[in-house]
Amino acid sequence: GQIIKFDLQGDVVMQFGSGLSAPRGVSVDALGNIYVADTGNHRIQKYSPLGLLDEQWGSLGLADGQFNRPQGVATESQGNVYVADTQNSRVQKFDGSGTYLDRWGRFGEDPGEFNRAEDIAVDEADTVYVLDQEGVQKFDVNGSLLGAFGDVGEGASRLGRPHSLAVGGGRVFVSDTQGDVIRVYDTEGD
C-alpha cells in the first residue's frame, strides 16, 4: 500500500510510502508531517510534508511502544502523537519522533477502559477523544478521563456499531456502520 495525496480538484499531486499493510488511520501535525497507523505491520510511520519517511516505530506486542493492530493516530498542538492501540485496548502517547511517553486504558467496559480502541482524535483544545465498541470517551492529554458519551445500544440516538470519529468546530462526528449514519455531538456529548 501507499499514500496518495490529492488537490482540491481531485488530481493526484503526490504518491509516497510503500510496504503499508492495511493502513487505517492518518493524522497531519501543525508542521505538515503525516502520521500513518500501519495497522497490519503493527507500527506508526511518520512522513515529512514532502512524503519522505522520517520515522517509524512499533512492533507486534504488549510492551510500551509495541502495538497490536493500531487503527487510529492523532496529533495535538505540542506535537505529541496519540495511538489507538486497538487489539491491546489502550492509548499510547509518543513525542513527534516516536519516543514513548505514556499509556492509559486496558480492556474492559468501565470508565477509562476500552473494548477495542477503534479510533482517536484530538480537538483544538487538545482534548483526546477515543472511540471503542462502547462509545466515545474523552481525556485530557495526560489520560485523565473527562467524560463519556454515545453509548451503544437500541434507540434512535444510540450507536449501533461505531467505526471512526473526527473532531472539529466544536463537534464530534462518529460513523455508525450499523445505522449507516454519521452521528454528530457537541464536545459534551449532546
Side-chain angles (χ1 to χ4, degrees):
Q2 63 176 272
I3 300 164
I4 303 171
K5 181 178 177 180
F6 299 89
D7 64 17
L8 294 176
Q9 290 72 42
D11 296 321
V12 175
V13 295
M14 186 181 344
Q15 294 181 343
F16 57 94
S18 63
L20 296 171
S21 176
R24 288 285 304 265
V26 63
S27 184
V28 179
D29 70 15
L31 300 175
N33 295 303
I34 303 160
Y35 298 83
V36 177
D38 189 3
T39 304
N41 288 319
H42 312 283
R43 67 184 177 195
I44 301 300
Q45 294 205 41
K46 176 186 176 183
Y47 295 90
S48 75
L50 299 176
L52 303 174
L53 182 63
D54 266 354
E55 307 278 347
Q56 63 183 20
W57 65 89
S59 61
L60 177 60
L62 189 57
D64 294 342
Q66 292 185 312
F67 306 109
N68 190 347
R69 301 194 58 78
Q71 293 185 9
V73 61
T75 57
E76 41 98 316
S77 67
Q78 300 302 308
N80 293 314
V81 179
Y82 299 83
V83 178
D85 188 3
T86 305
Q87 295 294 345
N88 287 331
S89 293
R90 64 184 179 183
V91 170
Q92 292 197 65
K93 178 180 176 179
F94 301 86
D95 70 14
S97 296
T99 302
Y100 171 83
L101 300 174
D102 199 5
R103 67 177 164 82
W104 66 83
R106 64 179 181 193
F107 181 77
E109 296 180 5
D110 289 331
E113 298 177 337
F114 305 112
N115 181 358
R116 292 178 38 97
E118 298 276 348
D119 204 0
I120 193 164
V122 179
D123 70 11
E124 300 86 357
D126 286 343
T127 302
V128 180
Y129 297 83
V130 181
L131 177 71
D132 72 356
Q133 293 182 357
E134 304 300 322
V136 178
Q137 295 185 64
K138 65 181 196 172
F139 300 86
D140 68 16
V141 294
N142 298 310
S144 295
L145 182 66
L146 301 174
F149 57 89
D151 292 338
V152 174
E154 300 294 323
S157 66
R158 296 176 74 85
L159 294 167
R161 185 177 204 151
H163 180 70
S164 60
L165 83 157
V167 296
R171 299 278 184 234
V172 179
F173 304 85
V174 179
S175 67
D176 183 348
T177 58
Q178 180 175 324
D180 293 326
V181 298
I182 305 295
R183 305 253 183 230
V184 181
Y185 303 92
D186 66 20
T187 57
E188 299 304 313
D190 296 322

